Amino acid sequence: MSEKGDIETVSHNPQLACKTVLVTGGAGFIGSHLILLLAARYPLWRIINVDSLEYCASLKNLLYLESTSTYKFIQGDVCDQYFIDHLFSTENIDIVFHCAAQSHVEKSFLYPSQFMHVNAAGTNVLLKAAFESGVEKFIYMSTDEVYGDSLDKYFDESSPKRPTNPYATSKAAAENIVLSYWNNHQLPVVIARSSNVYGPRQYHEKVIPRFLFLLQQDQKCTIQGTGLQSRHFLHVDDVTEALLILMKRGIMGEIYNIAANFEIAIVQLARELVKMVKNPPKAKLDDWLLYVDDRPVSDLRYPMISDKMHKLGWKPKIPWEEGIRMTIKWYEENKSHWPAVTEKFPCGC
């Protein structure tokens, strides 16, 4: 039976074949949601979570699975070749979701070599071990930012990569390494480029949780530059569903845009959150906004087309209005989930 057929069959009857899945960055935002979905959808599969537990990761995201025999957490660094080689030689890994990354754009301008080391060199370490152990599929989590800025043209997967910041450059470099393992070694790889992701449990360096955290502290939302830069926002549940579809039906060596339908300017996003959290008089709405210096390079928008994903049967299911209300509710009910912000960083978007 083909690999595709095998995974498709298992999706209907997990008892037929158990897999071992490695999720890197599994204590982070997208990774933890992905692990929870995998555990619910494939209860007999082994899930290994490797995370270095940087500031934006928390094992609290996965408390539900701590007593589950099929889930295993291992603290480690994807850049540590000895650790990664040992992991693959001992755990019999079938499928890899590589979500671990340094992802805060502002910090990438300050520490570009660190971002290249983790995001590109770390990906190479993981790919080498995955190739040598013969994994069935390697799914790499990338970003719409590799395309660079566009005012009107929508990017498809054949559009050139023109990254404009160190974070996006490191992700574009990692993509090149991933594809080199397909072209040179036929390692079965798939690349997913996602729009901005939001939802519960996201660390508050990202724009939506950052604004919500500031408003909870009766502080103003900090708007970089004019705030006219816009982003396409996609709920994390739609992203993790897309990743499972790529695991089941993604074509080897292909890139897939996971694009959101909803787009909003950052200044308008701040106003919407102010209305929903603080509900001030209309005339006082902008009193909750504070304009700060812009980042060195600020792309206005990253519009993408997701036709390839649609052909696999995926489309976003969670409307913005529903998703943002669920997100606000979670942050209101879990104010102590993340420690208070001590670093004066601007939001990332």
Side-chain angles (χ1 to χ4, degrees), residues 50-309:
V50 165
D51 199 297
S52 61
L53 294 183
E54 292 283 327
Y55 65 94
C56 56
S58 174
L59 292 178
K60 289 191 291 185
N61 293 335
L62 294 157
L63 285 176
Y64 168 74
L65 294 179
E66 279 191 351
S67 60
T68 305
S69 62
T70 54
Y71 168 74
K72 181 178 183 179
F73 168 70
I74 306 173
Q75 185 170 357
D77 185 351
V78 296
C79 298
D80 184 338
Q81 184 171 338
Y82 175 82
F83 164 72
I84 293 297
D85 287 348
H86 179 74
L87 177 73
F88 276 85
S89 66
T90 57
E91 294 293 350
N92 194 27
I93 295 165
D94 300 300
I95 300 166
V96 177
F97 289 93
H98 183 25
C99 302
Q102 293 278 345
S103 64
H104 194 269
V105 175
E106 267 66 38
K107 289 185 177 179
S108 77
F109 287 106
L110 298 174
Y111 312 108
S113 60
Q114 178 182 331
F115 275 66
M116 190 62 72
H117 175 66
V118 174
N119 295 351
T123 298
N124 187 62
V125 169
L126 203 63
L127 284 162
K128 180 176 180 292
F131 167 65
E132 291 175 350
S133 68
V135 301
E136 296 177 12
K137 189 165 288 189
F138 187 106
I139 298 140
Y140 178 67
M141 189 71 195
S142 190
T143 172
D144 54 4
E145 294 197 36
V146 299
Y147 291 118
D149 198 7
S150 177
L151 292 177
D152 48 16
K153 180 184 176 182
Y154 276 70
F155 300 117
D156 63 24
E157 291 83 355
S158 65
S159 299
K161 290 183 289 203
R162 292 171 179 163
T164 61
N165 62 66
Y167 161 66
T169 300
S170 69
K171 297 294 281 187
E175 283 192 10
N176 290 342
I177 299 169
V178 171
L179 290 176
S180 75
Y181 271 81
W182 165 250
N183 293 325
N184 298 326
H185 306 295
Q186 288 70 57
L187 178 68
V189 301
V190 175
I191 293 173
R193 293 173 179 161
S194 174
S195 298
N196 277 50
V197 188
Y198 76 99
R201 301 197 298 276
Q202 189 173 33
Y203 185 70
H204 38 50
E205 68 184 2
K206 299 299 184 182
V207 63
I208 289 176
R210 177 67 170 176
F211 285 170
L212 293 176
F213 175 82
L214 290 170
L215 292 171
Q216 286 176 356
Q217 304 300 312
D218 291 325
Q219 298 180 44
K220 298 180 180 183
C221 298
T222 50
I223 311 294
Q224 292 177 289
T226 64
L228 297 179
Q229 63 272 30
S230 66
R231 295 294 180 263
H232 294 75
F233 286 100
L234 188 63
H235 193 274
V236 65
D237 289 351
D238 283 324
V239 175
T240 55
E241 190 65 46
L243 291 174
L244 290 201
I245 287 175
L246 290 178
M247 177 187 73
K248 292 186 287 185
R249 298 196 285 275
I251 298 172
M252 298 301 97
E254 291 291 319
I255 300 168
Y256 293 87
N257 289 342
I258 306 174
N261 299 324
F262 177 78
E263 181 179 12
I264 189 171
I266 298 303
V267 66
Q268 186 58 35
L269 169 67
R271 290 181 179 130
E272 286 203 12
L273 295 180
V274 168
K275 284 191 289 185
M276 297 176 77
V277 175
K278 292 297 184 182
N279 193 28
K282 188 174 182 180
K284 298 287 187 179
L285 191 63
D286 283 3
D287 290 350
W288 287 93
L289 309 184
L290 175 64
Y291 291 86
V292 299
D293 291 339
D294 207 349
R295 65 176 63 161
V297 180
S298 184
D299 296 334
L300 286 178
R301 56 198 300 266
Y302 307 110
M304 296 193 302
I305 298 170
S306 279
D307 289 351
K308 287 176 68 174
M309 281 301 305

Side-chain angles (χ1 to χ4, degrees), residues 327-346:
T327 301
I328 291 172
K329 184 175 185 291
W330 185 88
Y331 282 96
E332 288 176 345
E333 295 175 350
N334 296 272
K335 293 180 181 179
S336 62
H337 185 83
W338 295 110
V341 174
T342 55
E343 185 180 359
K344 299 297 183 182
F345 52 76

